[in-house]
Amino acid sequence: MNINLSLGPLISLIAGILILVMPKLLNFIVAVYLILIGLIGLFGTGTIKSWL
């Protein structure tokens, strides 16, 4: 059985859970999310998967 997870939705899920648990972190989480999505868009997910 193969399970393929995309990095963008996974980051979104984690960010959403953290915002629900600690609303004061909203600005920080949004900033980190935008930076990560930007990096994924620039470099693609192939380079990030090779780091893991």
Side-chain angles (χ1 to χ4, degrees), residues 5-16 33 37 40 45:
L5 289 176
S6 194
L7 199 55
L10 185 62
I11 292 171
S12 298
L13 179 65
I14 292 170
Y33 173 77
I37 294 302
I40 290 170
T45 56

Side-chain angles (χ1 to χ4, degrees), residues 5-22 25 29-30 32-33 36:
L5 289 176
S6 194
L7 199 55
L10 185 62
I11 292 171
S12 298
L13 179 65
I14 292 170
I17 291 170
L18 286 174
I19 289 169
L20 283 175
V21 173
M22 296 176 277
L25 289 178
I29 291 171
V30 170
V32 169
Y33 173 77
L36 287 175

Side-chain angles (χ1 to χ4, degrees), residues 7 36 39-40 43-52:
L7 199 55
L36 287 175
L39 289 174
I40 290 170
F43 299 113
T45 56
T47 56
I48 294 175
K49 284 183 182 178
S50 65
W51 293 347
L52 298 176

